[in-house]
Amino acid sequence: MSSEPAPEMETEVFETKIRGAIDAVWHEITKTDELQGAIFNARMHTSSMEPGGAIQMRTASGKYASIVGHIREYDPPRRLVHTLSFTTLDDPASTVEYDLEEDGDEVRFRLTVTMPRGTKTSKQMRQGGPMIVNSLKRIVETGKPSLGVRTLYALFKVLEPITPKRCRVEHWPL
């Protein structure tokens, strides 16, 4: 049993309405066969999408894992919940919830993140949440993220060789 107290948690919610089919939105956040343009151009790897299954968000090359976690809920095409830890940080795990609800010809998309207060993880999630939601909307509605986001992804690719060794996938087994 750990003698450290549980971290104080905080919750941030990011929402948008997306013109498109719920299955298209669901596909974008759960696909494993191609890069996820809405989620930092990473590729999801998983041992299983069932509760308890391990997940990783890997770089385009597949050599580095930026995020690791475990599936908590999987209810296609309405809800996905998983834990999240950045491999570059030693912060306690966060919980990420994706909720989708049909609303006529739109999908109400909500990203809820419960994270340890005052950590680098919370700072990164507050900055990344709006980008994820806005990129997802743009990809489903137009087929690609904004030019600014595509430029950022190109920079990620250029900087990959200086990714910390602790992020190599062999350090984070599924």
PDB file of all heavy atoms in Angstrom, residues 19-40:
ATOM      1  N   ARG A  19     -20.559  18.162 -37.925  1.00  0.00           N
ATOM      2  CA  ARG A  19     -21.456  17.768 -39.017  1.00  0.00           C
ATOM      3  C   ARG A  19     -20.930  16.473 -39.606  1.00  0.00           C
ATOM      4  O   ARG A  19     -19.839  16.438 -40.177  1.00  0.00           O
ATOM      5  CB  ARG A  19     -21.519  18.852 -40.093  1.00  0.00           C
ATOM      6  CG  ARG A  19     -22.314  20.070 -39.705  1.00  0.00           C
ATOM      7  CD  ARG A  19     -22.463  21.059 -40.854  1.00  0.00           C
ATOM      8  NE  ARG A  19     -21.258  21.287 -41.633  1.00  0.00           N
ATOM      9  CZ  ARG A  19     -20.289  22.155 -41.303  1.00  0.00           C
ATOM     10  NH1 ARG A  19     -20.390  22.875 -40.214  1.00  0.00           N
ATOM     11  NH2 ARG A  19     -19.232  22.287 -42.072  1.00  0.00           N
ATOM     12  N   GLY A  20     -21.685  15.418 -39.427  1.00  0.00           N
ATOM     13  CA  GLY A  20     -21.273  14.131 -39.959  1.00  0.00           C
ATOM     14  C   GLY A  20     -21.929  13.004 -39.197  1.00  0.00           C
ATOM     15  O   GLY A  20     -22.681  13.219 -38.245  1.00  0.00           O
ATOM     16  N   ALA A  21     -21.634  11.802 -39.621  1.00  0.00           N
ATOM     17  CA  ALA A  21     -22.212  10.599 -39.018  1.00  0.00           C
ATOM     18  C   ALA A  21     -21.445  10.206 -37.755  1.00  0.00           C
ATOM     19  O   ALA A  21     -20.223  10.356 -37.684  1.00  0.00           O
ATOM     20  CB  ALA A  21     -22.180   9.451 -40.022  1.00  0.00           C
ATOM     21  N   ILE A  22     -22.160   9.676 -36.789  1.00  0.00           N
ATOM     22  CA  ILE A  22     -21.535   9.244 -35.535  1.00  0.00           C
ATOM     23  C   ILE A  22     -20.465   8.181 -35.797  1.00  0.00           C
ATOM     24  O   ILE A  22     -19.417   8.172 -35.142  1.00  0.00           O
ATOM     25  CB  ILE A  22     -22.599   8.773 -34.512  1.00  0.00           C
ATOM     26  CG1 ILE A  22     -21.983   8.678 -33.108  1.00  0.00           C
ATOM     27  CG2 ILE A  22     -23.256   7.465 -34.951  1.00  0.00           C
ATOM     28  CD1 ILE A  22     -23.012   8.491 -31.996  1.00  0.00           C
ATOM     29  N   ASP A  23     -20.708   7.298 -36.779  1.00  0.00           N
ATOM     30  CA  ASP A  23     -19.717   6.256 -37.091  1.00  0.00           C
ATOM     31  C   ASP A  23     -18.416   6.847 -37.618  1.00  0.00           C
ATOM     32  O   ASP A  23     -17.335   6.310 -37.349  1.00  0.00           O
ATOM     33  CB  ASP A  23     -20.289   5.251 -38.091  1.00  0.00           C
ATOM     34  CG  ASP A  23     -21.374   4.375 -37.471  1.00  0.00           C
ATOM     35  OD1 ASP A  23     -21.353   4.167 -36.241  1.00  0.00           O
ATOM     36  OD2 ASP A  23     -22.245   3.902 -38.228  1.00  0.00           O
ATOM     37  N   ALA A  24     -18.494   7.955 -38.344  1.00  0.00           N
ATOM     38  CA  ALA A  24     -17.282   8.615 -38.858  1.00  0.00           C
ATOM     39  C   ALA A  24     -16.475   9.216 -37.710  1.00  0.00           C
ATOM     40  O   ALA A  24     -15.241   9.114 -37.692  1.00  0.00           O
ATOM     41  CB  ALA A  24     -17.652   9.693 -39.872  1.00  0.00           C
ATOM     42  N   VAL A  25     -17.155   9.831 -36.757  1.00  0.00           N
ATOM     43  CA  VAL A  25     -16.471  10.407 -35.593  1.00  0.00           C
ATOM     44  C   VAL A  25     -15.855   9.283 -34.764  1.00  0.00           C
ATOM     45  O   VAL A  25     -14.681   9.355 -34.372  1.00  0.00           O
ATOM     46  CB  VAL A  25     -17.434  11.264 -34.748  1.00  0.00           C
ATOM     47  CG1 VAL A  25     -16.727  11.806 -33.507  1.00  0.00           C
ATOM     48  CG2 VAL A  25     -18.034  12.406 -35.572  1.00  0.00           C
ATOM     49  N   TRP A  26     -16.629   8.225 -34.517  1.00  0.00           N
ATOM     50  CA  TRP A  26     -16.140   7.088 -33.732  1.00  0.00           C
ATOM     51  C   TRP A  26     -14.896   6.479 -34.389  1.00  0.00           C
ATOM     52  O   TRP A  26     -13.910   6.191 -33.716  1.00  0.00           O
ATOM     53  CB  TRP A  26     -17.248   6.046 -33.588  1.00  0.00           C
ATOM     54  CG  TRP A  26     -16.838   4.870 -32.769  1.00  0.00           C
ATOM     55  CD1 TRP A  26     -16.494   3.623 -33.220  1.00  0.00           C
ATOM     56  CD2 TRP A  26     -16.707   4.825 -31.342  1.00  0.00           C
ATOM     57  NE1 TRP A  26     -16.157   2.813 -32.165  1.00  0.00           N
ATOM     58  CE2 TRP A  26     -16.284   3.519 -31.009  1.00  0.00           C
ATOM     59  CE3 TRP A  26     -16.898   5.755 -30.325  1.00  0.00           C
ATOM     60  CZ2 TRP A  26     -16.068   3.124 -29.693  1.00  0.00           C
ATOM     61  CZ3 TRP A  26     -16.681   5.353 -29.014  1.00  0.00           C
ATOM     62  CH2 TRP A  26     -16.265   4.058 -28.706  1.00  0.00           C
ATOM     63  N   HIS A  27     -14.951   6.306 -35.697  1.00  0.00           N
ATOM     64  CA  HIS A  27     -13.809   5.732 -36.422  1.00  0.00           C
ATOM     65  C   HIS A  27     -12.551   6.575 -36.198  1.00  0.00           C
ATOM     66  O   HIS A  27     -11.462   6.025 -35.966  1.00  0.00           O
ATOM     67  CB  HIS A  27     -14.117   5.615 -37.915  1.00  0.00           C
ATOM     68  CG  HIS A  27     -12.952   5.167 -38.728  1.00  0.00           C
ATOM     69  ND1 HIS A  27     -12.485   3.871 -38.716  1.00  0.00           N
ATOM     70  CD2 HIS A  27     -12.127   5.853 -39.562  1.00  0.00           C
ATOM     71  CE1 HIS A  27     -11.435   3.770 -39.507  1.00  0.00           C
ATOM     72  NE2 HIS A  27     -11.190   4.961 -40.037  1.00  0.00           N
ATOM     73  N   GLU A  28     -12.681   7.883 -36.276  1.00  0.00           N
ATOM     74  CA  GLU A  28     -11.516   8.764 -36.129  1.00  0.00           C
ATOM     75  C   GLU A  28     -10.849   8.641 -34.764  1.00  0.00           C
ATOM     76  O   GLU A  28      -9.638   8.801 -34.652  1.00  0.00           O
ATOM     77  CB  GLU A  28     -11.894  10.224 -36.387  1.00  0.00           C
ATOM     78  CG  GLU A  28     -12.070  10.566 -37.832  1.00  0.00           C
ATOM     79  CD  GLU A  28     -10.838  10.302 -38.683  1.00  0.00           C
ATOM     80  OE1 GLU A  28      -9.709  10.615 -38.248  1.00  0.00           O
ATOM     81  OE2 GLU A  28     -11.005   9.788 -39.798  1.00  0.00           O
ATOM     82  N   ILE A  29     -11.602   8.363 -33.709  1.00  0.00           N
ATOM     83  CA  ILE A  29     -10.994   8.296 -32.361  1.00  0.00           C
ATOM     84  C   ILE A  29     -10.600   6.881 -31.945  1.00  0.00           C
ATOM     85  O   ILE A  29      -9.934   6.710 -30.927  1.00  0.00           O
ATOM     86  CB  ILE A  29     -11.891   8.937 -31.281  1.00  0.00           C
ATOM     87  CG1 ILE A  29     -13.211   8.189 -31.124  1.00  0.00           C
ATOM     88  CG2 ILE A  29     -12.087  10.419 -31.553  1.00  0.00           C
ATOM     89  CD1 ILE A  29     -14.040   8.618 -29.934  1.00  0.00           C
ATOM     90  N   THR A  30     -11.003   5.882 -32.742  1.00  0.00           N
ATOM     91  CA  THR A  30     -10.686   4.503 -32.347  1.00  0.00           C
ATOM     92  C   THR A  30      -9.877   3.734 -33.378  1.00  0.00           C
ATOM     93  O   THR A  30      -9.493   2.590 -33.116  1.00  0.00           O
ATOM     94  CB  THR A  30     -11.984   3.710 -32.058  1.00  0.00           C
ATOM     95  OG1 THR A  30     -12.786   3.678 -33.246  1.00  0.00           O
ATOM     96  CG2 THR A  30     -12.753   4.306 -30.895  1.00  0.00           C
ATOM     97  N   LYS A  31      -9.594   4.330 -34.512  1.00  0.00           N
ATOM     98  CA  LYS A  31      -8.903   3.575 -35.571  1.00  0.00           C
ATOM     99  C   LYS A  31      -7.490   3.197 -35.136  1.00  0.00           C
ATOM    100  O   LYS A  31      -6.802   3.951 -34.450  1.00  0.00           O
ATOM    101  CB  LYS A  31      -8.897   4.348 -36.879  1.00  0.00           C
ATOM    102  CG  LYS A  31      -8.157   5.658 -36.854  1.00  0.00           C
ATOM    103  CD  LYS A  31      -8.353   6.410 -38.157  1.00  0.00           C
ATOM    104  CE  LYS A  31      -7.709   7.769 -38.112  1.00  0.00           C
ATOM    105  NZ  LYS A  31      -7.960   8.510 -39.353  1.00  0.00           N
ATOM    106  N   THR A  32      -7.091   2.009 -35.553  1.00  0.00           N
ATOM    107  CA  THR A  32      -5.754   1.502 -35.252  1.00  0.00           C
ATOM    108  C   THR A  32      -4.961   1.228 -36.522  1.00  0.00           C
ATOM    109  O   THR A  32      -3.773   0.946 -36.448  1.00  0.00           O
ATOM    110  CB  THR A  32      -5.835   0.200 -34.423  1.00  0.00           C
ATOM    111  OG1 THR A  32      -6.589  -0.769 -35.155  1.00  0.00           O
ATOM    112  CG2 THR A  32      -6.485   0.438 -33.070  1.00  0.00           C
ATOM    113  N   ASP A  33      -5.638   1.314 -37.663  1.00  0.00           N
ATOM    114  CA  ASP A  33      -5.003   0.955 -38.932  1.00  0.00           C
ATOM    115  C   ASP A  33      -4.369   2.133 -39.667  1.00  0.00           C
ATOM    116  O   ASP A  33      -3.778   1.956 -40.723  1.00  0.00           O
ATOM    117  CB  ASP A  33      -6.019   0.270 -39.843  1.00  0.00           C
ATOM    118  CG  ASP A  33      -7.252   1.121 -40.100  1.00  0.00           C
ATOM    119  OD1 ASP A  33      -7.512   2.064 -39.316  1.00  0.00           O
ATOM    120  OD2 ASP A  33      -7.974   0.842 -41.069  1.00  0.00           O
ATOM    121  N   GLU A  34      -4.494   3.335 -39.106  1.00  0.00           N
ATOM    122  CA  GLU A  34      -3.883   4.511 -39.709  1.00  0.00           C
ATOM    123  C   GLU A  34      -3.681   5.572 -38.630  1.00  0.00           C
ATOM    124  O   GLU A  34      -4.190   5.453 -37.522  1.00  0.00           O
ATOM    125  CB  GLU A  34      -4.738   5.041 -40.864  1.00  0.00           C
ATOM    126  CG  GLU A  34      -6.142   5.409 -40.469  1.00  0.00           C
ATOM    127  CD  GLU A  34      -7.002   5.792 -41.657  1.00  0.00           C
ATOM    128  OE1 GLU A  34      -6.763   6.871 -42.232  1.00  0.00           O
ATOM    129  OE2 GLU A  34      -7.909   5.018 -41.998  1.00  0.00           O
ATOM    130  N   LEU A  35      -2.935   6.606 -38.977  1.00  0.00           N
ATOM    131  CA  LEU A  35      -2.655   7.681 -38.029  1.00  0.00           C
ATOM    132  C   LEU A  35      -3.939   8.405 -37.658  1.00  0.00           C
ATOM    133  O   LEU A  35      -4.835   8.568 -38.481  1.00  0.00           O
ATOM    134  CB  LEU A  35      -1.653   8.669 -38.621  1.00  0.00           C
ATOM    135  CG  LEU A  35      -0.271   8.104 -38.947  1.00  0.00           C
ATOM    136  CD1 LEU A  35       0.584   9.165 -39.636  1.00  0.00           C
ATOM    137  CD2 LEU A  35       0.403   7.586 -37.696  1.00  0.00           C
ATOM    138  N   GLN A  36      -4.017   8.847 -36.423  1.00  0.00           N
ATOM    139  CA  GLN A  36      -5.167   9.604 -35.943  1.00  0.00           C
ATOM    140  C   GLN A  36      -4.844  11.088 -36.052  1.00  0.00           C
ATOM    141  O   GLN A  36      -4.177  11.650 -35.192  1.00  0.00           O
ATOM    142  CB  GLN A  36      -5.508   9.225 -34.507  1.00  0.00           C
ATOM    143  CG  GLN A  36      -6.048   7.825 -34.390  1.00  0.00           C
ATOM    144  CD  GLN A  36      -6.664   7.561 -33.036  1.00  0.00           C
ATOM    145  OE1 GLN A  36      -6.669   8.392 -32.152  1.00  0.00           O
ATOM    146  NE2 GLN A  36      -7.203   6.376 -32.882  1.00  0.00           N
ATOM    147  N   GLY A  37      -5.321  11.681 -37.115  1.00  0.00           N
ATOM    148  CA  GLY A  37      -5.035  13.089 -37.372  1.00  0.00           C
ATOM    149  C   GLY A  37      -5.541  14.020 -36.285  1.00  0.00           C
ATOM    150  O   GLY A  37      -4.997  15.103 -36.100  1.00  0.00           O
ATOM    151  N   ALA A  38      -6.565  13.613 -35.558  1.00  0.00           N
ATOM    152  CA  ALA A  38      -7.100  14.464 -34.492  1.00  0.00           C
ATOM    153  C   ALA A  38      -6.308  14.315 -33.195  1.00  0.00           C
ATOM    154  O   ALA A  38      -6.384  15.182 -32.333  1.00  0.00           O
ATOM    155  CB  ALA A  38      -8.570  14.140 -34.240  1.00  0.00           C
ATOM    156  N   ILE A  39      -5.580  13.237 -33.069  1.00  0.00           N
ATOM    157  CA  ILE A  39      -4.873  12.976 -31.809  1.00  0.00           C
ATOM    158  C   ILE A  39      -3.377  12.936 -32.095  1.00  0.00           C
ATOM    159  O   ILE A  39      -2.723  11.898 -32.068  1.00  0.00           O
ATOM    160  CB  ILE A  39      -5.400  11.703 -31.119  1.00  0.00           C
ATOM    161  CG1 ILE A  39      -6.931  11.814 -30.950  1.00  0.00           C
ATOM    162  CG2 ILE A  39      -4.718  11.504 -29.766  1.00  0.00           C
ATOM    163  CD1 ILE A  39      -7.608  10.623 -30.349  1.00  0.00           C
ATOM    164  N   PHE A  40      -2.860  14.105 -32.447  1.00  0.00           N
ATOM    165  CA  PHE A  40      -1.436  14.357 -32.613  1.00  0.00           C
ATOM    166  C   PHE A  40      -0.754  13.469 -33.644  1.00  0.00           C
ATOM    167  O   PHE A  40       0.427  13.205 -33.557  1.00  0.00           O
ATOM    168  CB  PHE A  40      -0.727  14.312 -31.257  1.00  0.00           C
ATOM    169  CG  PHE A  40      -1.295  15.324 -30.315  1.00  0.00           C
ATOM    170  CD1 PHE A  40      -2.221  14.954 -29.361  1.00  0.00           C
ATOM    171  CD2 PHE A  40      -0.964  16.659 -30.425  1.00  0.00           C
ATOM    172  CE1 PHE A  40      -2.788  15.907 -28.517  1.00  0.00           C
ATOM    173  CE2 PHE A  40      -1.531  17.620 -29.597  1.00  0.00           C
ATOM    174  CZ  PHE A  40      -2.440  17.241 -28.635  1.00  0.00           C
TER     175      PHE A  40
END
